[in-house]
Amino acid sequence: ILSSPHQPQGVVEQVTDAPAIVIATPGAEPRVRAGAYRAVAILDAWTSLYRQNIDAYVDVLRDWMRAMALCAPRADGGVGLLIGETDPVIAQSLMTWDPRVLARAELAQRREAGLPPVVSAACVWGQRNAVAETLRRIGVVGDGDWAALRLGDDEFPAVLGPVPIPPERTVDSRELEQMRDRVKAVVLVTHARRAELAMRLRTAAARHVAAREFGELRFRVDPKDLL
């Protein structure tokens, strides 16, 4: 039985409690009607090492625990298999069924690097010059009052990037010219400054529109897809 949004039959919601091999992509695992799987195998675990977003390991553990939760308990003969290399902390969290193991490790790394959720953040994206001018106006670059992020005895740059945004694969030639030289930057501030950061960004964006300055400019505070 194949369950995936990318195959002709789409996602299979349920299967009967009878012998069968079910192959499903993450998030498309069918439930067993009035029963449970006798075994659940997570294949290609090594792909977890190459996800790019900031919450990659958290998302991986969530997907794996959701799949394993469909398996019968070990006391009833259920077996869970993790096949392939992965980060030991993810594997330990899964095997002990304790997401706090991964949470503690992630928080320690974020604290050391000065990244959310230890701090608040905002993404600013659009045309390169518009983004650069906005970062200057809100005071997070150069000699700006928020150019440095201080956490205890540590100091970090308040801005990550800007980095180029590749055009969408579906963009046609007419749109491509308008989407050239698009970039994204991440602004980091302490939690106490989160509300003022939002206000500064809102003011800068309003000024950009009112003055009819060239180029796309957008922002979002504390987005899920931060990096």
Side-chain angles (χ1 to χ4, degrees), residues 56-216:
Y57 283 6
V58 175
D59 293 342
V60 165
L61 181 61
R62 180 201 62 220
D63 291 344
W64 290 358
M65 293 186 80
R66 182 180 57 219
M68 288 293 184
L70 301 176
C71 186
R74 183 169 57 181
D76 296 335
V79 177
L81 302 173
L82 183 60
I83 301 174
E85 183 181 3
T86 189
D87 188 283
V89 178
I90 306 179
Q92 184 182 359
S93 290
L94 184 66
M95 289 188 296
T96 59
W97 206 251
D98 187 358
R100 294 173 299 177
V101 174
L102 177 61
R104 283 191 293 265
E106 285 284 304
L107 280 173
Q109 292 178 8
R110 307 283 182 89
R111 191 173 294 110
E112 184 177 347
L115 292 174
V118 179
V119 296
S120 293
C123 279
V124 183
W125 72 96
Q127 198 273 337
R128 181 181 297 273
N129 291 340
V131 170
E133 180 62 18
T134 297
L135 297 179
R136 186 193 66 79
R137 285 174 176 169
I138 66 175
V140 293
V141 292
D143 297 328
D145 58 336
W146 285 5
L149 170 65
R150 292 180 177 84
L151 296 176
D153 296 330
D154 298 320
E155 184 173 291
F156 305 90
V159 177
L160 303 178
V163 296
I165 301 176
E168 299 288 342
R169 294 181 179 179
T170 56
V171 171
D172 60 31
S173 58
R174 292 174 301 177
E175 296 174 305
L176 187 59
E177 183 65 26
Q178 300 176 7
M179 300 183 69
R180 290 180 56 188
D181 207 20
R182 296 175 75 234
V183 298
K184 178 173 74 171
V186 176
V187 180
L188 304 172
V189 297
T190 59
H191 293 311
R193 291 177 169 176
R194 182 180 185 274
E196 188 175 347
L197 172 63
M199 184 60 68
R200 289 190 182 193
L201 285 168
R202 181 179 177 183
T203 301
R207 179 175 175 179
H208 176 81
V209 173
R212 298 185 177 180
E213 296 174 350
F214 173 77
E216 172 194 14

